[in-house]
Amino acid sequence: MSSKPIYVTEPAMPPLEEFIPYLQQIWSTKILTNGGPFHQQLEAALCAHLKVNHICLFANATIALVTALQALRITGEVITTPYSFVATAHSLLWNGIKPVFVDICPDTLNINPDKIESAITPHTTAIVPVHCYGHPCDVESIQRIADIYNLKVIYDAAHAFGVTIPSGSVLNHGDLSVLSFHATKVFNTFEGGAIVCPDLKIKQRIDNLKNFGIVSQVKVVAPGINGKMSEINAAFGMLQLKGIAAALSRRKAIDLAYREQLAHTLGIRCLEHTGEQEANYSYFPILVGPDYPLSRDELFEKLASAGINGRRYFYPLITDFPMYRSLPSAAPHNLPVAIRAANEVLCLPIYPDLAREELQEIIHIINDPS
Ligand SMILES: Cc1ncc(COP(=O)(O)O)c(C=O)c1O
């Protein structure tokens, strides 16, 4: 039994004393929010780091998703995945949009492009896919369909910080991509999020929308919201960015150790990295199949009794929640792959400070659960 509980993730924190100069700066300028100097610095630093054109920082990814849909004036029906965190679909309901769920691919657990076309109706205006666990969606196929049917594509890229595919950052695909900087994410600002956008015109619209629709002291052009990131969060982001390479390399080593040592475990499948040039190792999902001696829930409990708290992301499916359950597209026969994944998945602990002995203990329990 581990001496302290182990969680599925733990934020990488820089030494506290390194944050003090940032706080002193905020105290001296007394600029706390509203697009202050740290906010501007972080937008520029993230554009350079992620190799994207423009970024609008937000208080969290959920408000960013809601705003992205507003910015592109999405209405009617939107095609999305049931296999995600519930905020993906909630952002649609907050905009009065009807979610239409389609099934996922068994290999990536991302939306299956082959299932999208048959879900399109005259009311469909957009697709909201999710790069689940930071594994890239089939962006080419999704764009091809969007182009044929004149649909917008907004990626929920909450998990996809820093992920690249052969053509460059995965965040440059679709019309907009939304990142989360929540405490549980590879890059965190305590709470935070961002919209990645291709041009200045849409950035300006989003920046207005996240600031109540205000464009000047006397002019409000849209019913905007307050989605701004504060200076303290932005300053923390600047500091976090310095440590991101080291954090990713430790995550990569853990990912590799799991893969190597679970490769021959009967009934356990590690979700492959498919399509990434650079992965971010944000999650480590395994699928517990019928050949494994325990069910997924039994393994979950077995680990928990040893103080190791995995998470059943994403179980239940979004379509199991009461506000979605009665939609025709939520019917189980429409989503067999997602249902199976939700019943088999277990995300194992992965974070930079996970000790080698802790990692070995997790692997040992999975390999020898008796
Ligand atoms: C796929 C996905 N979308 C959206 C969100 C919402 O992000 P936030 O917590 O920053 O609002 C999260 C997670 O936290 C997520 O995992």
Side-chain angles (χ1 to χ4, degrees):
M1 169 111 179
S2 177
S3 51
K4 70 171 172 61
I6 298 172
Y7 296 102
V8 73
T9 193
E10 189 183 282
M13 299 293 278
L16 181 57
E17 57 275 16
E18 289 184 21
F19 195 40
I20 304 295
Y22 292 79
L23 294 176
Q24 282 167 336
Q25 225 171 302
I26 294 173
W27 258 249
S28 74
T29 62
K30 295 192 174 158
I31 301 174
L32 309 188
T33 186
N34 284 14
F38 281 120
H39 185 284
Q40 290 170 33
Q41 281 174 39
L42 185 59
E43 285 196 342
L46 286 174
C47 283
H49 180 83
L50 298 170
K51 299 192 177 59
V52 299
N53 287 349
H54 299 284
I55 279 206
C56 309
L57 293 176
F58 273 79
N60 60 62
T62 306
I63 296 279
L65 279 167
V66 169
T67 308
L69 292 158
Q70 287 275 323
L72 298 183
R73 299 182 172 86
I74 305 299
T75 56
E77 294 178 7
V78 166
I79 292 172
T80 190
T81 168
Y83 192 82
S84 180
F85 183 63
V86 74
T88 311
H90 279 359
S91 70
L92 300 174
L93 292 196
W94 272 72
N95 278 290
I97 293 165
K98 178 178 174 187
V100 176
F101 297 101
V102 308
D103 209 359
I104 56 174
C105 298
D107 294 344
T108 60
L109 309 187
N110 286 331
I111 196 165
N112 186 341
D114 294 341
K115 306 278 176 189
I116 292 177
E117 272 188 279
S118 59
I120 296 173
T121 76
H123 305 293
T124 311
T125 55
I127 309 170
V128 175
V130 180
H131 300 298
C132 195
Y133 311 125
H135 296 173
C137 290
D138 180 350
V139 291
E140 306 291 344
S141 300
I142 292 170
Q143 195 57 53
R144 212 172 303 125
I145 298 165
D147 290 343
I148 294 170
Y149 293 91
N150 195 23
L151 305 176
K152 300 287 187 195
V153 182
I154 299 175
Y155 281 101
D156 181 337
H159 303 174
F161 186 90
V163 172
T164 67
I165 55 177
S167 58
S169 171
V170 77
L171 304 171
N172 285 325
H173 288 270
D175 294 277
L176 298 171
S177 292
V178 174
L179 288 162
S180 171
F181 306 148
H182 181 255
T184 53
K185 301 298 188 281
V186 282
F187 171 80
N188 89 78
T189 57
F190 283 55
E191 291 269 5
I195 302 180
V196 174
C197 40
D199 60 62
L200 205 53
K201 194 159 167 251
I202 185 77
K203 174 171 167 57
Q204 274 161 359
R205 176 161 166 75
I206 293 167
D207 282 345
N208 291 341
L209 282 172
K210 80 172 190 194
N211 187 30
F212 313 96
I214 293 173
V215 292
S216 76
Q217 285 191 11
V218 291
K219 205 165 165 194
V220 175
V221 294
I225 198 155
N226 182 357
K228 292 168 279 136
M229 177 182 277
S230 85
E231 282 295 278
I232 218 156
N233 300 102
F236 191 71
M238 287 303 294
L239 181 55
Q240 284 289 65
L241 214 42
K242 292 185 182 175
I244 191 75
L248 287 182
S249 101
R250 179 69 193 127
R251 284 176 174 277
K252 183 176 183 174
I254 295 168
D255 179 285
L256 195 65
Y258 274 136
R259 276 177 205 287
E260 282 176 0
Q261 296 181 60
L262 296 175
H264 304 294
T265 312
L266 194 65
I268 297 291
R269 174 161 81 92
C270 302
L271 206 66
E272 295 296 324
H273 293 291
T274 48
E276 291 112 310
Q277 195 152 62
E278 290 163 77
N280 69 6
Y281 313 99
S282 47
Y283 297 84
F284 197 85
I286 59 170
L287 295 154
V288 184
D291 293 340
Y292 189 72
L294 304 183
S295 70
R296 184 276 310 273
D297 288 344
E298 286 166 346
L299 176 59
F300 170 75
E301 295 298 343
K302 175 108 199 159
L303 287 165
S305 65
I308 298 157
N309 300 287
R311 284 296 295 265
R312 288 167 288 188
Y313 293 140
F314 285 100
Y315 163 85
L317 291 176
I318 294 177
T319 41
D320 287 330
F321 295 122
M323 60 299 287
Y324 301 104
R325 197 183 283 154
S326 57
L327 289 168
S329 63
H333 68 81
N334 191 41
L335 308 166
V337 182
I339 290 170
R340 181 164 177 186
N343 288 330
E344 292 189 345
V345 74
L346 183 60
C347 284
L348 301 179
I350 185 166
Y351 50 89
D353 292 336
L354 184 69
R356 283 180 176 72
E357 315 77 66
E358 293 172 326
L359 176 62
Q360 287 314 314
E361 190 188 349
I362 298 165
I363 293 170
H364 174 72
I365 294 173
I366 298 171
N367 279 337
D368 186 9
S370 51

